[in-house]
Amino acid sequence: MTRLPNSRRRVVFVSAESLPWIKTGGLGDVAGSLPPALHALGTEIVSVLPLYGRIDREAAGMRLLTTIHVNYLGNDFPTRIFEADYPGESCRALFIENQYYFEREGIYVDPHSGRPYADDDERWFFFQSAVMELLRQTGAIPDILFCNDWHTAMLPALLRIRYSNDQELAGVRTLIGIHNLGYQGIFPASSITKLQMPQELMFSMSPFEYFGHLNCLKAGISFADEIVTVSPTYSEEIRTPELGHGLDGVLRQYEERLTGILNGIDTTAWNPSRDKLIPANYSIGRMQQKADNRAPLLEAFGLQDDGSPILGMVSRLTEQKGLDLIAGCIDRILSRRVKLVILGSGDPHHEAFLRDVARRHSSCMGLQIGYNEELAHLMFAGSDIFLMPSHYEPCGLSQMYAMLYGTPPIVHHTGGLRDTVLAFRDSADEATGFAFDEYQPEELLEAIDVALAAMRKPQTWKRIQRNGMSRDFSWKHAAVEYLQLFESICQRPRPGERPPLMPQLQRQDSDRFYGLPE
């Protein structure tokens, strides 16, 4: 990478997924939007991710860039590196090819077993080894190596231990982004040797050890120069036993280098006035057209339109997303005069439960298992109220989509939901949605009743919609905060390094610095 004249920092952004090429969740959205936003502000940034078999190379316009050699588990892997451009951008992404580890049906989970792949340590340790060799062999040395979640969390340790004597890499600073602390990459202690690091590093209470196992995210937190989470509130919550997932003590230990920056969203792809995936476009000044998306949404779920409010939910079907809460009151929700439509997939027992409820309430509940991008957009446009009762939510993007589409969300006041949704109970005039504090079915039900009551007051409802649609959730604010964070990291000495001689000291009458030896 050649430094651009207006570039502030050189950044390599490493992620397991990224739009528009591959996505399973919020990380893919962030990786697809943040690098171009940073690039637009002058940062020279390139993304790196695995080349999955599911990625259409021709459609992506991929080009073979180079071939590197990765020594891994005693074998020399000639590894091809491809490149592609973000759509409409000069920002690039690099793809690391390995047919054995990444040309599989699933990305994180084996679709045949429904469980993570048995060799997940090998897969992701190869990927991280290849990232390090990509930097070293091509000379593309960044100022910041930006790692994301556990799949890339061993990179800071590799840099500081295996590559500690590489002078070209000595100045690289590392940033670990935590998108969901609930997933940590825990493997047998012996897995550390697959990264060509000694088993002796797994001593009790070491940066790698976690109840006798290797914990990748703990290692990333311990070795990174800075830790960033995806919302300010979540950065506070993960330092508590309740939401620290066993790593709250480690995060408190390193809290001076922990910060929270609220995610943005792609307001080009998610804009009801220009969205090509919805039947009727609309805006704050043309809200009557929003209703034209109602009938297509109900038709997609096989429901008749009787004029009742539509509650929509697009989500992974897991307990983290509040499915246990939904289960505790779903019959009572449906006893209100509403339609409930749900799109998502996840835990088999949650899927089975919702299928049973939809069968029993076929006139007022629709369910589609899986994910469909076009239907997801229609859900935000055609629903009246969006449900997002997550137990915890590092940031959340769906509540932002919902507000921009004039579909006020109902959220549990946690993490990024607290940071983005201004609750009706706190300010009726400025509200953008509805919230509840206690994670109980009765609390969710009460919030739904409050929202339904507000809908019956047209002026109140229009004000809530207008407030949400007026919010700026673009990446431009977060990107500036990241630039400031990059500068802070690069100007700070790494742990174990001596700080520079105090530049504020000036020579006095004598020929020596005061307080410093000759």
Side-chain angles (χ1 to χ4, degrees), residues 21 54 76 156 194 245 255 277 291 397 430 438 444 452 479:
W21 303 287
R54 288 168 51 181
D76 178 34
K194 297 178 181 180
H245 295 278
E255 62 184 4
L277 298 181
L397 303 177
E430 299 178 359
E438 297 297 323
L444 169 59
L452 293 174

Side-chain angles (χ1 to χ4, degrees), residues 456-499:
R456 292 192 286 270
K457 299 178 180 180
Q459 290 304 114
T460 297
W461 193 251
K462 288 177 182 177
R463 184 171 62 247
I464 297 171
Q465 289 178 304
R466 186 169 56 250
N467 290 342
M469 296 177 76
S470 300
R471 296 285 299 275
D472 183 0
F473 291 117
S474 69
W475 273 103
K476 63 183 181 182
H477 302 294
V480 170
E481 290 189 63
Y482 273 105
L483 290 183
Q484 294 168 343
L485 183 61
F486 296 161
E487 292 303 311
S488 173
I489 296 170
C490 290
Q491 292 172 13
R492 187 189 319 150
R494 281 171 53 175
E497 289 183 338
R498 294 180 61 191

